[in-house]
Short mmCIF file of all heavy atoms in Angstrom, two decimals:
data_model
loop_
_atom_site.label_atom_id
_atom_site.label_comp_id
_atom_site.label_asym_id
_atom_site.label_seq_id
_atom_site.Cartn_x
_atom_site.Cartn_y
_atom_site.Cartn_z
N SER A 1443 109.82 -187.04 -82.53
CA SER A 1443 110.74 -186.75 -83.65
C SER A 1443 110.18 -187.31 -84.84
O SER A 1443 109.78 -188.52 -84.95
CB SER A 1443 112.08 -187.31 -83.20
OG SER A 1443 113.06 -187.05 -84.36
N HIS A 1444 110.18 -186.54 -85.93
CA HIS A 1444 109.74 -186.98 -87.23
C HIS A 1444 110.72 -187.12 -88.25
O HIS A 1444 110.68 -187.97 -89.19
CB HIS A 1444 108.58 -186.03 -87.79
CG HIS A 1444 107.23 -186.26 -87.11
ND1 HIS A 1444 106.31 -187.14 -87.59
CD2 HIS A 1444 106.69 -185.76 -86.05
CE1 HIS A 1444 105.32 -187.23 -86.81
NE2 HIS A 1444 105.53 -186.31 -85.81
N ALA A 1445 111.80 -186.20 -88.35
CA ALA A 1445 112.70 -186.23 -89.33
C ALA A 1445 113.98 -185.42 -89.03
O ALA A 1445 113.82 -184.47 -88.09
CB ALA A 1445 112.18 -185.70 -90.66
N VAL A 1446 115.08 -185.80 -89.66
CA VAL A 1446 116.22 -184.93 -89.51
C VAL A 1446 116.72 -184.64 -90.95
O VAL A 1446 116.84 -185.69 -91.78
CB VAL A 1446 117.41 -185.58 -88.73
CG1 VAL A 1446 118.71 -184.79 -88.79
CG2 VAL A 1446 116.94 -185.94 -87.27
N MET A 1447 116.78 -183.41 -91.29
CA MET A 1447 117.12 -183.07 -92.64
C MET A 1447 118.28 -182.07 -92.68
O MET A 1447 118.58 -181.33 -91.61
CB MET A 1447 115.92 -182.39 -93.34
CG MET A 1447 114.74 -183.32 -93.39
SD MET A 1447 113.25 -182.51 -94.11
CE MET A 1447 113.79 -182.46 -95.74
N LEU A 1448 119.06 -181.96 -93.79
CA LEU A 1448 120.05 -180.89 -93.88
C LEU A 1448 119.39 -179.71 -94.42
O LEU A 1448 118.52 -179.76 -95.39
CB LEU A 1448 121.13 -181.38 -94.91
CG LEU A 1448 122.16 -182.43 -94.24
CD1 LEU A 1448 123.14 -182.77 -95.38
CD2 LEU A 1448 122.85 -181.84 -93.15
N ALA A 1449 119.63 -178.53 -93.84
CA ALA A 1449 119.11 -177.32 -94.25
C ALA A 1449 119.92 -176.16 -93.88
O ALA A 1449 120.79 -176.23 -92.92
CB ALA A 1449 117.68 -177.14 -93.65
N SER A 1450 119.66 -175.07 -94.42
CA SER A 1450 120.41 -173.74 -94.09
C SER A 1450 119.81 -173.31 -92.73
O SER A 1450 118.60 -173.43 -92.58
CB SER A 1450 120.14 -172.72 -95.13
OG SER A 1450 120.65 -171.43 -94.68
N PRO A 1451 120.54 -172.87 -91.80
CA PRO A 1451 120.05 -172.47 -90.52
C PRO A 1451 119.27 -171.18 -90.52
O PRO A 1451 118.98 -170.54 -89.36
CB PRO A 1451 121.26 -172.46 -89.55
CG PRO A 1451 122.39 -172.22 -90.52
CD PRO A 1451 122.04 -172.84 -91.76
N ALA A 1452 118.91 -170.63 -91.62
CA ALA A 1452 118.15 -169.39 -91.74
C ALA A 1452 116.71 -169.78 -91.98
O ALA A 1452 116.29 -170.82 -92.48
CB ALA A 1452 118.63 -168.56 -92.95
N ASP A 1453 115.76 -168.88 -91.56
CA ASP A 1453 114.34 -169.05 -91.74
C ASP A 1453 113.81 -170.47 -91.29
O ASP A 1453 113.05 -171.10 -91.94
CB ASP A 1453 114.03 -168.86 -93.23
CG ASP A 1453 114.43 -167.48 -93.76
OD1 ASP A 1453 114.18 -166.49 -92.97
OD2 ASP A 1453 114.93 -167.46 -94.81
N LEU A 1454 114.20 -170.83 -90.04
CA LEU A 1454 113.81 -172.17 -89.52
C LEU A 1454 112.37 -172.27 -89.33
O LEU A 1454 111.71 -173.34 -89.49
CB LEU A 1454 114.60 -172.42 -88.31
CG LEU A 1454 116.10 -172.61 -88.53
CD1 LEU A 1454 116.81 -172.82 -87.11
CD2 LEU A 1454 116.39 -173.82 -89.38
N HIS A 1455 111.73 -171.15 -88.88
CA HIS A 1455 110.31 -171.24 -88.76
C HIS A 1455 109.62 -171.62 -90.07
O HIS A 1455 108.61 -172.51 -90.16
CB HIS A 1455 109.72 -169.88 -88.15
CG HIS A 1455 108.23 -169.99 -87.82
ND1 HIS A 1455 107.27 -169.80 -88.81
CD2 HIS A 1455 107.64 -170.14 -86.67
CE1 HIS A 1455 106.07 -169.84 -88.22
NE2 HIS A 1455 106.26 -170.07 -86.88
N ASP A 1456 109.95 -170.91 -91.16
CA ASP A 1456 109.28 -171.21 -92.40
C ASP A 1456 109.70 -172.62 -92.83
O ASP A 1456 108.79 -173.29 -93.49
CB ASP A 1456 109.82 -170.20 -93.55
CG ASP A 1456 109.29 -168.81 -93.26
OD1 ASP A 1456 108.36 -168.62 -92.52
OD2 ASP A 1456 109.98 -167.81 -93.67
N PHE A 1457 110.85 -173.09 -92.61
CA PHE A 1457 111.14 -174.42 -92.92
C PHE A 1457 110.26 -175.43 -92.28
O PHE A 1457 109.79 -176.32 -92.80
CB PHE A 1457 112.70 -174.67 -92.55
CG PHE A 1457 113.17 -176.12 -92.76
CD1 PHE A 1457 113.43 -176.59 -94.10
CD2 PHE A 1457 113.37 -176.93 -91.80
CE1 PHE A 1457 113.84 -177.81 -94.31
CE2 PHE A 1457 113.89 -178.19 -91.96
CZ PHE A 1457 114.15 -178.69 -93.27
N ALA A 1458 110.15 -175.24 -90.87
CA ALA A 1458 109.27 -176.08 -90.19
C ALA A 1458 107.79 -176.12 -90.68
O ALA A 1458 107.22 -177.15 -90.74
CB ALA A 1458 109.30 -175.77 -88.65
N LEU A 1459 107.27 -175.01 -90.93
CA LEU A 1459 105.90 -174.84 -91.39
C LEU A 1459 105.76 -175.56 -92.70
O LEU A 1459 104.82 -176.35 -92.99
CB LEU A 1459 105.52 -173.38 -91.50
CG LEU A 1459 104.08 -173.12 -92.10
CD1 LEU A 1459 102.98 -173.79 -91.30
CD2 LEU A 1459 103.81 -171.70 -92.26
N GLY A 1460 106.71 -175.29 -93.67
CA GLY A 1460 106.65 -175.99 -94.96
C GLY A 1460 106.71 -177.41 -94.95
O GLY A 1460 106.09 -178.18 -95.55
N PHE A 1461 107.60 -177.94 -93.92
CA PHE A 1461 107.69 -179.37 -93.80
C PHE A 1461 106.47 -180.04 -93.28
O PHE A 1461 105.92 -180.97 -93.78
CB PHE A 1461 108.86 -179.69 -92.79
CG PHE A 1461 109.07 -181.16 -92.62
CD1 PHE A 1461 109.83 -181.92 -93.48
CD2 PHE A 1461 108.48 -181.77 -91.59
CE1 PHE A 1461 110.01 -183.31 -93.27
CE2 PHE A 1461 108.57 -183.17 -91.30
CZ PHE A 1461 109.26 -183.92 -92.15
N GLY A 1462 105.83 -179.28 -92.33
CA GLY A 1462 104.58 -179.85 -91.67
C GLY A 1462 103.44 -179.84 -92.62
O GLY A 1462 102.64 -180.82 -92.70
N LEU A 1463 103.37 -178.84 -93.43
CA LEU A 1463 102.30 -178.84 -94.51
C LEU A 1463 102.48 -179.79 -95.66
O LEU A 1463 101.57 -180.53 -96.03
CB LEU A 1463 102.13 -177.41 -95.07
CG LEU A 1463 101.60 -176.30 -94.15
CD1 LEU A 1463 101.89 -174.91 -94.70
CD2 LEU A 1463 100.15 -176.56 -93.79
N THR A 1464 103.70 -179.89 -96.05
CA THR A 1464 103.98 -180.75 -97.23
C THR A 1464 103.83 -182.22 -96.79
O THR A 1464 103.38 -183.08 -97.60
CB THR A 1464 105.49 -180.53 -97.75
OG1 THR A 1464 105.63 -179.20 -98.13
CG2 THR A 1464 105.86 -181.45 -98.84
N GLU A 1465 104.19 -182.66 -95.59
CA GLU A 1465 104.16 -184.00 -95.12
C GLU A 1465 102.73 -184.37 -94.54
O GLU A 1465 102.52 -185.43 -94.13
CB GLU A 1465 105.11 -184.23 -94.02
CG GLU A 1465 106.58 -184.17 -94.50
CD GLU A 1465 106.89 -185.24 -95.59
OE1 GLU A 1465 106.57 -186.37 -95.45
OE2 GLU A 1465 107.41 -184.86 -96.74
N GLY A 1466 101.78 -183.37 -94.66
CA GLY A 1466 100.51 -183.70 -94.17
C GLY A 1466 100.30 -183.73 -92.59
O GLY A 1466 99.25 -184.24 -92.11
N LEU A 1467 101.35 -183.31 -91.94
CA LEU A 1467 101.23 -183.24 -90.43
C LEU A 1467 100.32 -181.99 -90.00
O LEU A 1467 99.89 -182.12 -88.86
CB LEU A 1467 102.71 -183.18 -89.88
CG LEU A 1467 103.53 -184.35 -90.18
CD1 LEU A 1467 105.00 -184.11 -89.84
CD2 LEU A 1467 103.02 -185.60 -89.55
N LEU A 1468 100.28 -181.03 -90.80
CA LEU A 1468 99.46 -179.85 -90.56
C LEU A 1468 98.50 -179.70 -91.74
O LEU A 1468 98.94 -179.84 -92.92
CB LEU A 1468 100.34 -178.58 -90.51
CG LEU A 1468 101.45 -178.61 -89.44
CD1 LEU A 1468 102.31 -177.38 -89.55
CD2 LEU A 1468 100.78 -178.58 -88.03
N ALA A 1469 97.27 -179.39 -91.48
CA ALA A 1469 96.19 -179.08 -92.52
C ALA A 1469 96.32 -177.69 -92.98
O ALA A 1469 96.08 -177.48 -94.17
CB ALA A 1469 94.80 -179.45 -91.98
N HIS A 1470 96.66 -176.79 -92.16
CA HIS A 1470 96.83 -175.43 -92.52
C HIS A 1470 97.81 -174.76 -91.44
O HIS A 1470 98.10 -175.20 -90.50
CB HIS A 1470 95.47 -174.65 -92.54
CG HIS A 1470 94.71 -174.78 -91.25
ND1 HIS A 1470 94.97 -173.93 -90.21
CD2 HIS A 1470 93.74 -175.64 -90.89
CE1 HIS A 1470 94.07 -174.17 -89.20
NE2 HIS A 1470 93.38 -175.25 -89.55
#
């Protein structure tokens, strides 16, 4: 587990990808 955030339950895949990239957990 890395984080719990408030978000709209739409487009969850995009939300996860954006979080991973922004936080440096994913390089691409």
